[in-house]
Amino acid sequence: MKQPRAWQRMLSGRRLDLLDPTPVDIEIDDIAHGLAFVARWNGQTKGDYAYSVAEHSLLVTEIFRIQQPKAPAKWQLAALLHDAPEYVIGDMISPVKAAVGPGYGALDDRLATAIHLRFGLPAQVPASVKKQIKKADKLSAWLEAVQIAGFTKAEADRFFGKQDPALTGRLLIRLRPPTDVRADFLDLHKQLMERL
């Protein structure tokens, strides 16, 4: 019986094997492009543009920098790339991840490892740093829920935890064309790589 195809051709020309990804097949242009065109919240957000995973990643990095002002460039890069596997596997909302089961998590982990190694990060981000990035990620999700996904603050508090009003009051979601978001993602990646 013929095995199903488990690789995807990237715009860079790379052929990424989803079951056995290698760092050599990872290109930042592919990641930035893919994430800029992947909608968070299954596209169920207000505005003229989808809120992309790339825009979310930029916001998480901004929040991480505010919350961890002394974090070295490598952990800021880890924050920027925290959802990078979604450039090929898409952004699944939590209920869908739960329904799919552990296979999704294993696929995500394999891709994250290859991405981290490609850009000079450890295969596994230390648990303490991962926790800090997750804290920034939850604040971003809270902001997205309230500002563009139709949640009340009470609902957002219930699902994402109560957040610091000093931060929630000053951070605004921006909806922009994917090409602008892609360019900003690539620019921040370049800045952080130069500081490693």
Side-chain angles (χ1 to χ4, degrees):
M1 186 166 140
K2 186 177 177 184
Q3 291 284 14
R5 180 172 66 92
W7 57 267
Q8 179 176 347
R9 173 83 55 204
M10 299 287 125
L11 288 178
S12 65
R14 298 281 188 194
R15 190 168 107 164
L16 181 66
D17 183 338
L18 299 179
L19 299 179
D20 188 24
T22 63
V24 75
D25 292 321
I26 307 292
E27 296 291 344
I28 193 59
D29 290 329
D30 293 332
I31 292 172
H33 181 82
L35 295 182
F37 285 89
V38 172
R40 280 184 52 85
W41 303 92
N42 281 346
Q44 298 301 305
T45 54
K46 301 172 187 172
D48 293 333
Y49 296 102
Y51 186 73
S52 72
V53 175
E55 192 78 83
H56 163 78
S57 298
L58 291 166
L59 180 59
V60 169
T61 307
E62 179 183 356
I63 294 167
F64 178 76
R65 288 170 146 176
I66 291 168
Q67 293 175 334
Q68 310 298 326
K70 295 182 181 179
K74 68 180 177 179
W75 301 142
Q76 294 175 44
L77 180 60
L80 181 67
L81 297 173
H82 80 283
D83 279 339
E86 294 178 8
Y87 86 107
V88 288
I89 60 176
D91 178 48
M92 284 195 208
I93 59 174
S94 296
V96 174
K97 287 179 187 175
V100 170
Y104 177 86
L107 177 60
D108 186 83
D109 289 345
R110 285 192 300 272
L111 285 163
T113 295
I115 291 165
H116 288 167
L117 294 175
R118 170 66 174 89
F119 299 112
L121 296 172
Q124 302 298 317
V125 174
S128 60
V129 175
K130 202 168 188 173
K131 185 176 178 181
Q132 293 167 343
I133 294 170
K134 189 65 180 169
K135 181 180 176 185
D137 191 35
K138 282 195 171 211
L139 174 52
S140 179
W142 190 97
L143 291 166
E144 294 163 25
V146 170
Q147 292 182 22
I148 60 172
F151 284 55
T152 65
K153 288 182 180 181
E155 287 173 320
D157 287 349
R158 188 167 62 248
F159 291 110
F160 308 108
K162 286 191 178 250
Q163 302 295 326
D164 180 358
L167 286 177
T168 60
R170 78 181 225 210
L171 294 167
L172 295 175
I173 300 295
R174 299 178 298 165
L175 298 172
R176 304 181 294 149
T179 51
D180 293 354
V181 179
R182 179 181 62 201
D184 286 353
F185 188 97
L186 286 169
D187 185 54
L188 181 55
H189 179 267
K190 181 179 179 206
Q191 290 173 37
L192 292 172
M193 290 298 290
E194 289 171 351
R195 291 174 43 208
L196 290 183

